[in-house]
Amino acid sequence: MSEQNVKATLSDAVDQVLTLVQAKGAHADVIANASESLSLKADQGDLSEHKVTAGQVIGVRVIKGDQVATSYSESLDSDSLASMVNAALTNASFTKADPDQKIRAEGQQIDSQDPTLFQADNTPIEDKIALALAMEQDVVNQPRATGAPYNGYGEQTQYQLLANTLGTRCYHRERSFSCYTAALLNHDGKQSMHLGASVSRRFADLDQAFATRLAYDTADALLEGGPVKTGQYAVVFEHNCLSELLGAFGSCFSGDAAKRGTNPWREKIGKPIADPALTITDIARIDGGMRSKAFDSEGFATTDTPLIENGILVGLLHNSATAHHFGVRHTANAGRSPKGGLDVTSRHDLIGAGKQSGAEVHGGEYLELVSLQGVHSGANAISGDFSFGASGFLCRDGKRVRPVRGITVAGNFYTMLNEIDAIGNTVTPNYDGAFFAPRIRFARLSIAGE
């Protein structure tokens, strides 16, 4: 189906829903999504999966008086839309009043036609299959590789139409490509595995060599690893690991968590909460970013939101409801899927560059952690305490001295942010284009080893 037809189909469904809601004397916003995806998986030289899927879903958030409810449908026929609206209105009559939630994005008209987010793709399917197979083959051809248990290629095209009863109408489209592999090594009774991946906006920009090299080289380097002595160590997290850790404590930036009373920083706006060299910003659009979108889930134009500046908490991420609750401006960080209720979400996490060179960040002895296990289950977002398994390398002056496995890293996230030895002067992204940061050396974390 062409984009024009998809857009017309979504538009007709959204118009029907808004008409039904208004006839009942209520207000609403509607999100309608359509998507197409391709998934290819390779196993032992053959294509084990070739899956093409397409789907659509529409969801409504109705507000009548101070009562709010949501409902969704995966069918866009008139009867299903009517049932969806009736279900939402019925549910609203039983919900607790929430005076903070209102339809507030009035008359927003945002039609996102950014060509960088939605690039034409004429790549033959044979080339995509060849890539999936090559991901596996490139790994198993390595001298000590035992296998490559996870290999594949994926692509997704998404269309979204958002509209409300105050005249807002916003449209977004995007396309993305990805490939991945996992290298497995078995040697002298020891086993090691590591994942490598690449994500891009164009098939031609996928970096197959980087993904396979990262997977094999890291697994190979870690194979002979063992625990270090228990103690306090300076730590540098590889980018994906630091992104995981920050994500586990992401509620500290959430206005919704603050409203619910589960954000430990809810009363610390304007106060120092981290090392003075630390700056963190939620970025709406950044070169190489994979979460760019011109509007949030209420229809407000997205913008950059400073969170920490020079160690001081300067604000939180807000939708219009949490902003109303605290009497502040919203930050256009509303998050809502067609199937869910109103929430708060980030775009791209950007940690600002520091003043230290790479040599300064990596001077002396430290642990470089490249793999974490059980991050979310081992983290308490309220207290800040964490404890989870990790693997990496004991390093000295920027060089890996020996691989490290079978250790547990523990500490307190909020304390850790105040104990930073150095922040590098070069910002780079993680593999999926959602997290941008320099190398950061944390002064001391507890390592349980031998």
Side-chain angles (χ1 to χ4, degrees):
M1 183 181 290
S2 70
E3 181 187 1
Q4 184 177 1
N5 289 336
V6 169
K7 193 173 182 181
T9 299
L10 296 181
S11 183
D12 287 344
V14 165
D15 288 343
Q16 289 182 57
V17 172
L18 293 177
T19 298
L20 290 168
V21 170
Q22 289 175 308
K24 298 291 185 178
H27 285 284
D29 54 19
V30 186
I31 297 176
N33 285 357
S35 64
E36 303 164 356
S37 65
L38 169 67
S39 174
L40 305 172
K41 294 182 181 179
D43 183 30
Q44 298 183 16
D46 293 321
L47 199 65
S48 61
E49 176 179 286
H50 184 156
K51 183 188 293 184
V52 178
T53 58
Q56 55 195 17
V57 60
I58 186 169
V60 62
R61 177 177 65 123
V62 300
I63 301 177
K64 193 166 186 178
D66 287 337
Q67 293 176 292
V68 185
T70 63
S71 185
Y72 73 91
S73 171
E74 293 181 349
S75 171
L76 303 187
D77 66 76
S78 297
D79 289 343
S80 296
L81 297 179
S83 295
M84 179 187 73
V85 171
N86 288 334
L89 289 168
T90 299
N91 292 341
S93 66
F94 293 101
T95 61
K96 183 180 178 181
D98 184 356
D100 290 321
Q101 283 201 53
K102 301 291 183 184
I103 304 300
R104 294 189 172 92
E106 184 172 358
Q108 301 290 310
Q109 302 292 318
I110 304 173
D111 193 341
S112 179
Q113 298 290 335
D114 188 337
T116 65
L117 304 185
F118 187 90
Q119 302 198 41
D121 177 50
N122 299 311
T123 308
I125 185 61
E126 292 80 7
D127 290 357
K128 297 171 181 179
I129 293 173
L131 174 60
L133 295 172
M135 297 297 292
E136 178 185 38
Q137 196 61 46
D138 285 354
V139 170
V140 299
N141 283 344
Q142 299 301 317
R144 297 211 296 174
T146 305
Y150 307 107
N151 315 273
Y153 164 83
E155 64 184 51
Q156 187 169 55
T157 302
Q158 294 183 309
Y159 308 94
Q160 182 178 93
L161 182 64
L162 181 154
N164 67 26
T165 49
L166 295 183
T168 284
R169 202 171 193 87
C170 303
Y171 179 69
H172 173 79
R173 60 179 190 169
E174 64 175 77
R175 178 174 285 146
S176 61
F177 304 83
S178 64
C179 62
Y180 63 90
T181 188
L184 176 65
L185 281 70
N186 278 299
H187 186 68
D188 291 340
K190 294 183 178 181
Q191 185 179 89
S192 177
M193 188 172 74
H194 199 76
L195 181 73
S198 176
V199 179
S200 70
R201 292 291 182 190
R202 297 195 313 147
F203 178 84
D205 292 336
L206 289 174
D207 196 337
Q208 171 191 344
F210 166 80
T212 54
R213 186 173 62 250
L214 174 64
Y216 177 78
D217 288 351
T218 306
D220 186 45
L222 287 172
L223 183 62
E224 303 298 331
V228 291
K229 290 184 178 181
T230 296
Q232 298 275 319
Y233 290 80
V235 171
V236 175
F237 291 93
E238 183 270 338
H239 266 28
N240 292 311
C241 293
L242 185 56
S243 177
E244 279 187 80
L245 183 58
L246 185 65
F249 293 94
S251 60
C252 67
F253 297 121
S254 169
D256 188 62
K259 181 181 176 182
R260 289 184 277 107
T262 59
N263 183 340
W265 283 350
R266 61 188 179 277
E267 296 179 358
K268 295 190 176 183
I269 306 296
K271 297 179 181 179
I273 46 82
D275 185 283
L278 186 67
T279 293
I280 301 180
T281 307
D282 178 68
I283 300 291
R285 182 183 176 86
I286 187 171
D287 288 345
M290 296 296 292
R291 294 186 179 177
S292 298
K293 195 173 181 182
F295 55 92
D296 73 354
S297 294
E298 291 184 277
F300 290 108
T302 52
T303 185
D304 297 346
T305 304
L307 299 169
I308 297 175
E309 290 186 343
N310 301 320
I312 295 173
L313 183 68
V314 296
L316 301 176
L317 302 177
H318 286 289
N319 55 40
S320 72
T322 62
H324 180 267
H325 179 81
F326 289 106
V328 298
R329 286 181 59 87
H330 71 80
T331 61
N333 282 99
R336 185 170 84 81
S337 72
K339 296 183 178 182
L342 189 64
D343 203 345
V344 169
T345 189
S346 63
R347 296 286 174 215
H348 306 94
D349 297 314
L350 171 65
I351 299 180
K355 297 180 179 180
Q356 280 78 37
S357 66
E360 290 173 302
V361 174
H362 300 108
E365 187 174 274
Y366 61 94
L367 282 178
E368 176 194 14
L369 298 184
V370 302
S371 178
L372 305 177
Q373 298 88 44
V375 173
H376 287 272
S377 61
N380 185 318
I382 296 177
S383 70
D385 294 333
F386 63 83
S387 177
F388 36 77
S391 301
F393 302 91
L394 180 66
C395 301
R396 188 173 296 114
D397 295 329
K399 296 183 179 180
R400 293 174 173 176
V401 176
R402 70 178 181 91
V404 175
R405 300 173 66 190
I407 63 171
T408 299
V409 57
N412 183 280
F413 178 76
Y414 306 119
T415 300
M416 188 178 83
L417 296 185
N418 284 282
E419 296 181 344
I420 295 176
D421 277 343
I423 299 178
N425 56 16
T426 302
V427 172
T428 56
N430 71 333
Y431 86 96
D432 67 358
F435 177 75
F436 294 73
R439 289 285 179 167
I440 301 177
R441 179 179 173 130
F442 297 96
R444 61 187 65 82
L445 289 173
S446 296
I447 303 297
E450 58 184 11

